[in-house]
């Protein structure tokens, strides 16, 4: 089901105390909205976040997970570990995982399969780098990322997928895609899905934009018809900014 979502990817930020303080502030200031609100703290603070938000509508997601059931994968986290503490949404394919930790489309496809097998919801990130856009290859890159990691799924599986288009050049740079650029790419993403799966899947998938979303630009970006919300990095670390962004939807 297509829905409005504002999600905060906290990345490698916030200690336990800081996590608890930010969650308390978000819970206290959260505006009434039909949009889903999701936060993704770091692994060590996930269980605390789930417990502190037990009576809140704010949901908790993980920033990553491994594809294996369990085993000799030092430093990794398995799906069952997340499910066991009450987390059934996971961000996969973030550009930092791709560029800094070498995660490829094929590797991500395995994680996607595991998440599906475990009936988890995926927030799947993808997007082109600056040189790719400058070379006019951004549509081809995005199409390739979608096809390689997700197009082996059957149509039914798409109920569990949220897409997050995050142009790499806009992540943490302060430079945002213009609302027109975001809309253009989101429409292209829907068209690509439509060609493979048909209009119903394409129209029902939630497509978020990520990359330097701030209180000052959120409303304009979210006003575009194919933009269903945002995946927010830096601005999700300050309660007041994140709350303003939620209000913008
Ligand atoms: P910024 O909002 O800090 O640009 O980060 C976006 C992002 O990577 C969210 O996953």
């Amino acid at each position: 089901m297509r829905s409005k979502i504002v999600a905060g990817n906290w990345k490698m930020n916030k200690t336990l105390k800081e996590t608890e303080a930010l969650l308390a502030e978000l819970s206290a200031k959260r505006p009434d909205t039909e949009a889903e609100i999701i936060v993704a703290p770091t692994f060590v603070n996930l269980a605390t976040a789930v417990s502190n938000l037990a009576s809140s509508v704010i949901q908790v997601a993980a920033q990553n997970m491994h594809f294996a059931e369990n085993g000799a994968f030092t430093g990794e986290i398995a799906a069952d570990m997340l499910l066991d503490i009450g987390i059934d949404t996971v961000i996969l394919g973030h550009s930092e995982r791709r560029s800094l930790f070498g995660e490829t489309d094929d590797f991500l496809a395995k994680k996607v399969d595991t998440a599906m097998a475990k009936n988890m919801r995926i927030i799947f990130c993808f997007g082109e780098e600056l040189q790719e856009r400058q070379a006019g290859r951004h549509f081809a890159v995005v199409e390739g990322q979608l096809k390689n990691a997700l197009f082996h799924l059957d149509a039914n599986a798409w109920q569990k997928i949220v897409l997050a288009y995050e142009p790499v050049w806009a992540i943490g740079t302060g430079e945002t895609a213009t609302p027109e650029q975001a809309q253009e790419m989101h429409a292209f993403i829907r068209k690509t899905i439509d060609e493979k799966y048909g209009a119903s899947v394409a129209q029902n998938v939630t497509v978020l934009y990520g990359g330097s979303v701030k209180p000052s630009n959120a409303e304009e970006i979210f006003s575009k018809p194919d933009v269903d919300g945002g995946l927010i990095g830096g601005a999700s670390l300050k309660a007041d900014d994140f709350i303003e962004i939620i209000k913008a939807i």
Side-chain angles (χ1 to χ4, degrees):
M1 258 302 282
R2 187 159 166 187
S3 51
K4 300 276 181 202
I5 298 178
V6 180
N9 174 10
W10 292 7
K11 308 191 180 183
M12 196 175 74
N13 293 293
K14 303 288 177 191
T15 62
L16 176 60
K17 276 204 178 72
E18 291 165 349
T19 296
E20 294 201 280
L22 180 51
L23 293 177
E25 203 178 343
L26 288 176
S27 296
K29 294 181 175 172
R30 179 186 63 80
D32 267 340
T33 170
E34 280 175 13
E36 285 186 56
I37 306 169
I38 302 174
V39 293
T42 184
F43 281 123
V44 289
N45 295 328
L46 286 178
T48 301
V50 169
S51 125
N52 288 19
L53 293 173
S55 57
S56 168
V57 297
I58 303 175
Q59 304 168 47
V60 184
Q63 297 176 17
N64 184 28
M65 69 174 201
H66 198 266
F67 61 78
E69 184 74 26
N70 54 40
F73 299 97
T74 300
E76 292 292 328
I77 307 285
D80 282 348
M81 298 171 185
L82 298 174
L83 291 166
D84 199 32
I85 58 166
I87 290 176
D88 62 4
T89 301
V90 61
I91 298 172
L92 293 178
H94 192 279
S95 74
E96 287 143 22
R97 297 300 318 168
R98 294 172 187 263
S99 67
L100 303 173
F101 301 100
E103 295 196 8
T104 61
D105 289 343
D106 289 349
F107 190 67
L108 290 167
K110 291 187 188 176
K111 295 188 179 205
V112 166
D113 287 343
T114 300
M116 284 299 153
K118 299 286 179 182
N119 202 25
M120 295 176 81
R121 179 162 69 156
I122 300 168
I123 299 176
F124 186 80
C125 305
F126 57 101
E128 82 284 358
E129 295 184 11
L130 182 60
Q131 315 85 278
E132 293 167 334
R133 179 165 279 265
Q134 284 169 339
R137 296 203 296 117
H138 44 299
F139 294 118
V141 167
V142 160
E143 187 174 350
Q145 289 170 325
L146 287 174
K147 287 188 170 167
N148 294 338
L150 298 177
F151 276 19
H152 61 287
L153 297 171
D154 62 27
N156 226 9
W158 281 77
Q159 291 173 20
K160 292 296 219 175
I161 298 209
V162 170
L163 297 176
Y165 168 61
E166 298 204 307
V168 178
W169 48 271
I171 295 177
T173 57
E175 191 181 337
T176 324
T178 64
E180 291 69 31
Q181 285 172 321
Q183 168 58 28
E184 183 185 37
M185 185 58 88
H186 284 220
F188 173 77
I189 290 163
R190 270 190 226 287
K191 178 171 127 323
T192 306
I193 295 169
D194 188 333
E195 284 164 7
K196 164 83 178 165
Y197 292 98
S200 162
V201 173
Q203 287 310 315
N204 275 313
V205 67
T206 302
V207 188
L208 311 180
Y209 167 82
S212 298
V213 177
K214 314 180 262 271
S216 57
N217 59 25
E219 194 169 337
E220 219 188 330
I221 294 172
F222 294 163
S223 72
K224 293 296 175 188
D226 285 303
V227 178
D228 301 314
L231 183 56
I232 322 298
S236 72
L237 298 171
K238 290 192 205 122
D240 288 335
D241 285 358
F242 195 52
I243 294 292
E244 285 309 308
I245 292 170
I246 295 166
K247 285 184 187 160
I249 203 150

